[in-house]
Amino acid sequence: MRKLKLLIIDENQEDVKEINQTLIDYFPQIESYEIIKPIELSNFLSTKTIPDIVLIDVDANSDVIKNFIKNTGLRKNQIIFLANIDAFVPRAIKTSYEIIIKPIILKRFIITINQSIGLIFYNEFKYITSENNDSKTICPTTTRYRKANNLIKINSSNEVVFIKKSDIIYCLAKGKYTVFHLTNSLVWTSNIALGKYEKLLKEINFVRIHHSHLINTNFLSKISKHESYKVELVDGTCLSVSRRRRDNIKQFLTPN
């Protein structure tokens, strides 16, 4: 997975300091980030490489920001606005871009940046239209890229994200939806049923222990065999094992 570049456009040094530390702690895939003041934007494009993600304070000069967005050619998912809780946010921004409210809530910040990263890679490796005809074909690098980086695609009603299979602790079925619980405490919901993901994950230590539960056995902490079988995962989650799926888990009861 290639490294990404991020630009922060904000004059508030305390906010910038907090964002910097969060990027260091949670986003190793972001290789570098620069910080500039809005007044410096006009000279930025002539001397710097266009970033992958831009965080912009909503109070920055609107005309300068409009010109910057237009000249970079960035997609809307690559631009995220920062706004104080009592700040005025223009309707055009509210309806078109993600907004992170300050003071920053860590979980919301992580989710928003992850969404942007996922869509960046999706747009780079998505279906492309053949120049020879109107049919759509998969870019050859798409499958290789996902396999090489151990990624799985999650479709929701309004976005597509990619996550590492090894980061999934367990999945829960919620009707026709699947809820993914990850090692970084994030939760993603897909509009695809659990059965489809069971097929995609069964080759890499994932086991269906219940109609509603699919677990990554790498995170299995304890198995209870009292009145009913239950498993405990490393994050403290306890899940029931259905009677007809006990054979799926019994292999882990055999001494090595």
Side-chain angles (χ1 to χ4, degrees):
M1 182 182 294
R2 74 174 179 86
K3 297 291 186 178
L4 302 176
K5 298 183 183 299
L6 183 142
L7 174 66
I8 303 171
I9 305 170
D10 196 337
E11 293 184 340
N12 189 312
Q13 294 303 308
E14 288 300 316
D15 291 338
V16 168
K17 183 178 179 181
E18 182 181 5
I19 291 171
N20 284 346
Q21 191 58 52
T22 304
L23 293 172
I24 292 170
D25 292 342
Y26 293 94
F27 296 97
Q29 66 271 59
I30 295 178
E31 181 180 43
S32 63
Y33 42 90
E34 296 183 64
I35 306 153
I36 64 172
K37 296 179 180 179
I39 197 171
E40 300 168 341
L41 272 180
S42 57
N43 297 324
F44 180 85
L45 291 178
S46 61
T47 59
K48 301 290 185 178
T49 304
I50 294 175
D52 297 287
I53 301 173
V54 181
L55 303 182
I56 308 175
D57 183 70
V58 76
D59 290 330
N61 183 287
S62 59
D63 290 334
V64 173
I65 294 300
K66 285 178 183 177
N67 289 333
F68 175 78
I69 293 174
K70 179 180 178 181
N71 291 329
T72 58
L74 293 173
R75 296 173 181 268
K76 289 182 178 180
N77 66 279
Q78 294 174 269
I79 300 168
I80 301 168
F81 280 89
L82 306 167
N84 289 318
I85 194 167
D86 57 350
F88 170 74
V89 180
R91 181 178 176 81
I93 292 177
K94 279 184 180 180
T95 56
S96 301
Y97 299 93
E98 289 288 342
I99 299 172
I100 295 176
I101 300 298
K102 299 187 290 186
I104 291 170
I105 298 173
L106 179 60
K107 185 174 182 179
R108 177 59 185 165
F109 182 88
I110 291 173
I111 289 174
T112 303
I113 298 296
N114 272 331
Q115 287 174 341
S116 180
I117 291 171
L119 286 170
I120 286 170
F121 287 120
Y122 173 70
N123 285 320
E124 288 184 359
F125 300 101
K126 67 181 180 180
Y127 290 137
I128 60 173
T129 302
S130 170
E131 294 181 357
N132 300 324
N133 53 57
D134 294 330
S135 63
K136 289 190 174 181
T137 57
I138 295 179
C139 175
T141 58
T142 303
T143 303
R144 287 202 301 270
Y145 173 80
R146 291 179 189 167
K147 288 184 177 179
N149 291 280
N150 194 31
L151 300 178
I152 189 168
K153 182 172 73 172
I154 298 179
N155 294 340
S156 69
S157 58
N158 58 2
E159 62 190 359
V160 176
V161 297
F162 294 96
I163 61 173
K164 285 189 175 182
K165 297 174 184 177
S166 56
D167 287 343
I168 303 169
I169 301 178
Y170 65 100
C171 307
L172 296 181
K174 295 288 185 181
K176 295 182 180 180
Y177 295 86
T178 301
V179 181
F180 290 79
H181 292 259
L182 310 182
T183 54
N184 57 5
S185 298
L186 291 180
V187 177
W188 290 102
T189 300
S190 170
N191 57 11
I192 295 176
L194 184 60
K196 174 70 176 294
Y197 289 111
E198 179 185 10
K199 294 176 182 178
L200 294 174
L201 296 168
K202 68 179 180 180
E203 302 297 330
I204 52 169
N205 300 317
F206 280 79
V207 172
R208 188 81 171 261
I209 62 168
H210 189 279
H211 175 73
S212 301
H213 309 149
L214 178 68
I215 66 169
N216 184 344
T217 57
N218 290 328
F219 296 108
L220 186 59
S221 175
K222 184 169 64 177
I223 301 173
S224 171
K225 300 189 296 177
H226 295 300
E227 295 181 1
S228 60
Y229 275 59
K230 291 184 179 179
V231 299
E232 183 175 329
L233 305 176
V234 293
D235 66 344
T237 300
C238 291
L239 299 171
S240 299
V241 181
S242 66
R243 185 179 298 275
R244 74 185 188 92
R245 296 184 188 270
R246 287 181 184 178
D247 287 344
N248 293 348
I249 207 73
K250 283 182 179 178
Q251 59 180 302
F252 298 99
L253 300 174
T254 306
N256 292 329

